[in-house]
Amino acid sequence: MTARAVSVAFQTDQPLSAYGPLAAAVEGHGFDGLSVYNDLLYQPAWPALFEMARHTRRIRLGPAAVNPFTCHPITIAGNLALLDEASGGRAYLGLARGAWLDFLGLAPGRPVTALREAFECVRHLLARAKTPYLGRVFRLGGGDSLRWAVPRADVPFMLGAWGSRTIRACVGLVDEVKVGGTVNPAVVPRVRAGLVSAAADAGRSAEDVGIVVGAVTVVDRDGGAARSLARRRVALYLPIIARLDPTLGVEPSLLARIVSAAAAYDFDAAGRLVPDEVLGRLAFAGTPAEVAAQATRLFEAGVRRVEFGTPHGVSEAEGIRLLGEGVLPLLRRV
């Protein structure tokens, strides 16, 4: 991937037949990668990714991100190995704790340990190692391995995390750390400082681990229309990000009203409450030039990859076209 990489992420809320053409369009515009969310209550990421692999030849692709609490590492490893084969060695794996697990009545114990061990367990399986893996959360009895020819063991790993403890636990295993749900440059130095310290303690250079930032994206020639749609989309995530980003600057009583509306699934009402300055820290939203300026500020803050997330535009096809023809060329000139 390039020194300043740009990728596109998709939600799994479309007919299966839609993902191949969308991926082909992303690759055709010259983006560096594509990701598929694996959010709770949406389609699993893997079928969409296999469709995308069939319709592309160059671009890197993977789930961003799977969690090891609703999907065991052996299932993750199997799907990842098949995606890597289907794509000719272009797959990557994103793992994260995941959100909304309370919907399933899940309160994962030892989540930091579980994430680290999930990465280790997947790598162990991809290497077809027959030795036991004896973690505190995940275990493999040994004596056997995946029973087919896995293309490669060194598939790139990405951690989705904000917290320094999780980054410190996993930094020795991953190629990237993604901070999701934000476009706030003020977040980057904090994450970078924790990453530098953790990498040094793990015997790695911090330059070996790139920071990725991705969020809701709406680009349109009508910047006001783009921001209006983006407000409704970020309302789903704002209560989560507000707990993670102390620089977000949402007044507590206003946040309580937004949380109340979002909890009632009234995202239109919640979105109307999101101030302009807060929206500008949560989403890529506006005209192509405005979105390119937001991404540029993130690169200048030290981000290695920017990822433009769903819904991309007022209409998705037009959003992808504007990102490819209006935003990406501005970023490539830097």
Side-chain angles (χ1 to χ4, degrees):
M1 300 191 75
T2 62
R4 286 188 171 188
V6 186
S7 56
V8 177
F10 290 94
Q11 186 59 273
T12 49
D13 56 357
Q14 306 199 41
L16 191 60
S17 60
Y19 298 113
L22 285 169
V26 169
E27 183 172 79
H29 284 300
F31 288 96
D32 300 294
L34 62 82
S35 303
V36 176
Y37 301 141
N38 196 66
D39 289 346
L40 200 65
L41 300 179
Y42 288 93
Q43 302 159 11
W46 301 107
L49 284 163
F50 284 113
E51 280 294 293
M52 290 174 164
R54 289 198 312 117
H55 286 79
T56 56
R57 294 293 178 267
R58 171 191 59 81
I59 203 164
R60 192 182 79 150
L61 70 169
V66 184
N67 78 71
F69 309 108
T70 58
C71 190
H72 192 278
I74 195 165
T75 305
I76 297 171
N79 280 313
L80 179 61
L82 289 171
L83 179 63
D84 204 40
E85 178 183 343
S87 65
R90 293 181 286 124
Y92 85 93
L93 172 67
L95 288 182
R97 182 186 184 279
W100 308 295
L101 294 177
D102 56 332
F103 180 83
L104 303 177
L106 291 178
R110 297 180 290 195
V112 173
T113 301
L115 278 169
R116 186 191 71 246
E117 290 185 4
F119 279 121
E120 292 173 343
C121 199
V122 169
R123 187 73 78 203
H124 194 89
L125 288 160
L126 293 180
R128 301 182 71 199
K130 293 187 178 182
T131 54
Y133 175 80
L134 303 177
R136 295 172 61 197
V137 178
F138 298 111
R139 292 182 166 238
L140 299 171
D144 206 346
S145 68
L146 296 182
R147 297 175 182 175
W148 75 93
V150 175
R152 58 175 176 153
D154 59 342
V155 176
F157 287 166
M158 182 197 79
L159 169 68
W162 283 68
S164 59
R165 285 183 60 240
T166 306
I167 292 171
R168 178 167 292 276
C170 299
V171 72
L173 303 165
V174 303
D175 303 277
E176 295 180 307
V177 172
K178 181 178 180 181
V179 185
T182 184
V183 300
N184 185 0
V187 168
V188 180
R190 295 173 54 246
V191 174
R192 183 70 180 167
L195 178 58
V196 168
S197 172
D201 289 347
R204 297 188 72 185
S205 166
E207 297 306 312
D208 293 337
V209 185
I211 296 175
V212 184
V213 167
V216 165
T217 303
V218 186
V219 59
D220 195 83
R221 298 293 182 194
D222 182 342
R227 283 182 282 274
S228 179
L229 176 56
R231 276 189 178 83
R232 295 196 294 275
R233 291 304 184 102
V234 301
L236 177 63
Y237 303 98
L238 192 155
I240 297 169
I241 303 305
R243 295 197 299 268
L244 299 170
D245 181 1
T247 73
L248 193 58
V250 185
E251 197 271 317
S253 63
L254 175 59
L255 178 60
R257 292 164 61 199
I258 294 170
V259 168
S260 177
Y265 303 102
D266 189 349
F267 298 114
D268 287 339
R272 287 192 293 271
L273 294 170
V274 177
D276 285 347
E277 61 273 17
V278 173
L279 178 67
R281 300 185 185 108
L282 291 172
F284 297 105
T287 65
E290 289 170 332
V291 168
Q294 287 182 286
T296 297
R297 287 192 288 272
L298 288 166
F299 283 130
E300 291 172 346
V303 168
R304 188 173 297 173
R305 176 162 66 91
V306 162
E307 185 154 85
F308 295 125
T310 298
H312 306 119
V314 176
S315 80
E316 183 151 62
E318 178 66 2
I320 296 295
R321 187 186 72 78
L322 288 172
L323 285 170
E325 296 178 3
V327 176
L328 191 58
L330 295 175
L331 298 178
R332 294 296 193 224
R333 291 175 193 167
V334 176

